[in-house]
Amino acid sequence: MKLIIGNKNYSSWSLRAWFLMRQCELEFDEQRIALDVDTTATEIAKHSPAGRVPTLILDDCTVWDSLAIAETLAERYPDKDLWPRSDKRRAHARAVSAEMHSGFAAMRSELPMNCRATGRRIAINAEVRRDIDRIIDIWRDCQQQYRNDGDWLFGSFSVADAMFAPVVLRFRTYGVEIPESANAYANCLLENDAIGEWLLAAESETEVISHEEIGL
Ligand SMILES: N[C@@H](CCC(=O)N[C@@H](CS)C(=O)NCC(=O)O)C(=O)O
């Protein structure tokens, strides 16, 4: 199968699908399409009717949208436990993943993912603060319930960790101060080999998308 992604430096939705697949040791080819250049729309349209990345090309069909990709992979590779096995835990993981997927618009627009930038400072407005606080609550709640089973949000790695991975990178870029417990989760993610691989590739990219370059 092949995963179509955008720039590793900027494309947070691409990171979600890519990280999930890499961390779960699914074999795939990847094709990167540079975002925000003259050819972007034409190149993406060759693969995705929605005109968005990530898009997953399977032998028998094409799936676009990060959450649909996660659900399709979870169905096709049940042995990989992409979602937690316990019904209750899986429902919780689905709820926070959907919340991430459909929400946090303020944080996503004000703190764009920019992997290679660090030490950026921005003024955090009330809406962004609310998003950050809610994310920290989600992580704390998961840690209180499942930490005994492992360092990931639901103990073992799941789709939920892929969904929140770009948030950790945003906090890192903009130096968002987070409580110790949230830091422990962020560090678990930042020390992950697949995330390290993604960051290295992001650093080697040369394209600059000026409207994503926020903060001093
Ligand atoms: N809801 C979609 C969002 C995908 C999305 O917005 N992707 C952006 C890149 S991160 C994109 O493809 N933008 C197209 C463009 O910049 O032309 C998902 O979960 O995959």
Side-chain angles (χ1 to χ4, degrees):
M1 55 192 161
K2 181 151 93 171
L3 184 67
I4 313 292
I5 57 172
N7 304 46
K8 288 190 169 165
N9 192 55
Y10 299 112
S11 182
S12 62
W13 295 109
S14 299
L15 167 59
R16 290 173 171 100
W18 184 95
F19 180 37
L20 179 67
M21 294 177 77
R22 191 55 119 232
Q23 184 63 18
C24 293
E25 298 180 341
L26 295 170
E27 279 189 25
F28 64 102
D29 295 322
E30 64 184 70
Q31 181 180 337
R32 198 189 76 112
I33 295 179
L35 299 176
D36 211 46
V37 296
D38 292 348
T39 51
T40 302
T42 330
E43 287 304 312
I44 296 181
K46 288 181 187 165
H47 310 283
S48 165
R52 294 267 185 269
V53 287
T55 291
L56 181 66
I57 302 172
L58 295 158
D59 286 344
D60 56 345
C61 66
T62 293
V63 186
W64 56 95
D65 193 289
S66 55
L67 202 48
I69 291 171
E71 290 290 7
T72 304
L73 291 170
E75 265 178 20
R76 294 196 179 201
Y77 299 92
D79 55 312
K80 295 288 185 184
D81 291 329
L82 267 53
W83 291 111
R85 280 196 186 172
S86 128
D87 289 3
K88 189 166 161 253
R89 210 175 285 206
R90 189 165 62 253
H92 188 184
R94 280 206 162 103
V96 300
S97 298
E99 186 178 348
M100 178 74 247
H101 186 254
S102 63
F104 304 107
M107 188 209 59
R108 286 199 270 112
S109 73
E110 301 286 319
L111 275 61
M113 191 175 92
N114 187 347
C115 296
R116 63 181 170 234
T118 50
R120 296 286 176 97
R121 292 297 172 264
I122 51 150
I124 292 180
N125 66 32
E127 273 180 298
V128 176
R129 172 50 56 195
R130 249 197 315 275
D131 282 355
I132 292 171
D133 289 348
R134 172 65 193 139
I135 287 166
I136 287 166
D137 276 354
I138 290 173
W139 293 357
R140 185 184 296 119
D141 183 28
C142 285
Q143 285 171 323
Q144 281 167 357
Q145 294 192 60
Y146 315 119
R147 198 189 340 230
N148 288 345
D149 297 334
D151 291 336
W152 298 106
L153 289 174
F154 290 86
S156 305
F157 178 85
S158 75
V159 173
D161 299 294
M163 279 291 158
F164 283 91
V167 173
V168 171
L169 300 181
R170 288 171 156 113
F171 287 177
R172 169 178 173 266
T173 292
Y174 302 101
V176 174
E177 289 189 14
I178 52 176
E180 197 47 49
S181 59
N183 226 1
Y185 176 63
N187 285 336
C188 159
L189 197 118
L190 290 171
E191 286 161 13
N192 176 272
D193 287 347
I195 292 293
E197 188 189 334
W198 178 276
L199 290 175
L200 217 57
E203 274 163 29
S204 71
E205 290 178 344
T206 53
E207 301 100 343
V208 174
I209 302 182
S210 52
H211 59 86
E212 306 278 11
E213 294 290 333
I214 308 253
L216 300 171

